Amino acid sequence: LVMVFYGSNGKSNPVSMENKVEHQAKNQITHEIYLPSDLGMLYKVRLGLQSLESSTSQLSLCHLKMQNTSTLDTFSLTINKTLPLSLNGDRWVEFPVEWPLKEALSVVTYHLTVFSRNILSERNLVHMTACICGAHGDTGDRSLLWSLQNVQQEEDNESFLVVVEAVELGELGRVVLLISSKTDCKLDIKKLHVKEALKEHPIYVFEVNEAFSVEAKKPQIQKEIPVSFVIRGDKQKNDLENNLLREGGQAGDLTEYTIKVYTGDKRGSGTDANVHIILFGNEDKSEVFQLSQSLEHQDPFERGKVDTFKVKTKKLGSLRSIEIGHDGKGF
């Protein structure tokens, strides 16, 4: 049993629950642990098993109490959770530390969607974890292949959803992948999407576009992927103008652009996915716009059609380039 502590100045290494204190009460175990003095104010704890011999083991956690033996500051929490400690299961549970007069972070369910080509066919031979990193720490290494949802498979494309519960991370910045295998194989990963389960936006997009050659006798592969862009909803986009006015600017400081998209006339040219665009100028770049409200058609991006969109953004200077793409949903 190990715990990882997060403070305002960083996080601890995994702390092993080995030093048991004598005179235990029934169904209660007390441990003495020593933390680095420079962690700062504790705000989060992750608890779980680092290694596991039996795939049938389970750990029921009822209550947790921590006390600083120097200051006598005390934190207690009722957990009442049984960790799903299967060999491929998520072995961790996280909770925020609540101190008096200080608002604690909340526990959030994140949806991580993996877009790939051949992971599903290799899943029984591969071990793959992801560590999602944000402004408020990280999730630690979470297994990606233990409980898949929303599995979609076509000839050359596949996607699946992984649910991760963690203390809220704030603005996301990167994902660290760890890949190992029992046999030689090649995994083709296209991209990752991460968002909060209860919110449509923002969607953090991590472009990978890489085939990983995994060898059974070689160490695991580690790949750090910075966020490529963020798809934000209509409310967040409208907030740009409101923020500008609050800061003393004028609505006229925004520039309106007309975007026309000509969808090809070949079979399969259209898409049902959510299309986004970013404009790059010599002075600045725009936020991510979702192209959803076509002036011509209720269902945009149909084969052989032209769709017009209006967007407002800050002044970008002379336009230099655009980025356009979609989230891979639907056909």
Side-chain angles (χ1 to χ4, degrees):
L1 181 67
V2 295
M3 300 179 80
V4 180
F5 295 84
Y6 287 75
S8 53
N9 298 329
K11 70 176 181 178
S12 72
N13 291 323
V15 178
S16 176
M17 302 286 103
E18 292 177 348
N19 300 319
K20 296 180 183 179
V21 181
E22 295 182 1
H23 310 299
Q24 300 304 320
K26 185 179 180 181
N27 296 329
Q28 176 180 315
I29 303 173
T30 303
H31 300 267
E32 285 187 350
I33 61 173
Y34 300 90
L35 297 180
S37 59
D38 57 354
L39 275 184
M41 176 71 78
L42 292 184
Y43 68 87
K44 163 176 152 176
V45 178
R46 183 186 310 122
L47 186 150
L49 294 192
Q50 208 166 28
S51 60
L52 196 64
E53 296 295 331
S54 170
S55 61
T56 58
S57 295
Q58 288 186 321
L59 177 63
S60 292
L61 302 168
C62 300
H63 194 80
L64 180 131
K65 179 179 178 180
M66 296 192 301
Q67 185 176 60
N68 185 321
T69 56
S70 299
T71 65
L72 300 184
D73 288 339
T74 303
F75 161 74
S76 76
L77 174 76
T78 299
I79 301 176
N80 287 335
K81 283 189 177 181
T82 300
L83 290 179
L85 301 178
S86 66
L87 279 175
N88 294 319
D90 192 349
R91 305 170 189 172
W92 299 94
V93 60
E94 290 193 359
F95 44 88
V97 177
E98 300 180 46
W99 299 108
L101 305 178
K102 184 173 177 61
E103 187 176 357
L105 298 172
S106 58
V107 176
V108 172
T109 300
Y110 288 95
H111 281 179
L112 188 156
T113 305
V114 180
F115 297 86
S116 55
R117 292 191 186 277
N118 65 337
I119 289 180
L120 293 175
S121 60
E122 304 284 351
R123 61 177 294 195
N124 293 327
L125 302 171
V126 172
H127 182 62
M128 189 172 171
T129 66
C131 177
I132 307 170
C133 307
H136 302 149
D138 57 65
T139 61
D141 296 332
R142 304 296 187 96
S143 175
L144 291 185
L145 302 176
W146 67 282
S147 179
L148 309 185
Q149 302 179 29
N150 293 3
V151 176
Q152 298 185 29
Q153 224 169 346
E154 298 175 16
E155 187 175 346
D156 289 325
N157 297 293
E158 62 187 22
S159 64
F160 55 88
L161 173 68
V162 181
V163 178
V164 176
E165 191 173 276
V167 173
E168 63 178 299
L169 296 166
E171 193 79 8
L172 302 187
R174 59 194 172 95
V175 170
V176 180
L177 290 179
L178 289 176
I179 308 169
S180 60
S181 176
K182 300 175 183 177
T183 183
D184 295 353
C185 64
K186 182 174 284 190
L187 296 181
D188 196 339
I189 305 175
K190 294 159 61 174
K191 60 183 174 179
L192 312 172
H193 284 187
V194 183
K195 75 178 191 70
E196 293 185 25
L198 297 180
K199 296 180 181 178
E200 286 297 318
H201 299 94
I203 302 171
Y204 295 86
V205 180
F206 300 84
E207 298 278 4
V208 185
N209 295 320
E210 189 170 338
F212 297 93
S213 295
V214 191
E215 298 181 34
K217 296 181 181 179
K218 293 287 183 69
Q220 62 185 359
I221 295 174
Q222 178 173 316
K223 176 71 174 181
E224 183 174 309
I225 308 142
V227 64
S228 302
F229 56 87
V230 184
I231 301 174
R232 304 192 184 272
D234 291 335
K235 179 181 183 304
Q236 288 169 300
K237 291 185 288 185
N238 292 337
D239 284 346
L240 176 71
E241 185 167 344
N242 295 332
N243 289 339
L244 184 69
L245 293 172
R246 276 198 297 270
E247 292 167 4
Q250 302 295 323
D253 291 342
L254 296 175
T255 303
E256 183 177 73
Y257 290 91
T258 300
I259 300 169
K260 284 185 177 291
V261 180
Y262 297 75
T263 303
D265 198 27
K266 294 182 178 180
R267 184 171 179 270
S269 292
T271 185
D272 295 327
N274 298 308
V275 177
H276 72 268
I277 194 170
I278 308 173
L279 312 180
F280 295 85
N282 64 345
E283 296 179 9
D284 209 340
K285 73 173 184 177
S286 75
E287 62 272 38
V288 181
F289 290 108
Q290 274 197 290
L291 300 180
S292 56
Q293 304 294 324
S294 170
L295 299 182
E296 289 88 1
H297 308 105
Q298 187 172 355
D299 191 10
F301 310 113
E302 292 296 300
R303 173 180 171 181
K305 303 292 185 181
V306 180
D307 293 285
T308 305
F309 304 89
K310 300 274 190 181
V311 300
K312 283 186 178 181
T313 187
K314 55 197 167 185
K315 290 187 176 179
L316 307 176
S318 300
L319 290 185
R320 290 290 184 259
S321 62
I322 67 167
E323 177 183 295
I324 189 164
H326 61 70
D327 61 2
K329 288 184 179 178
F331 176 70

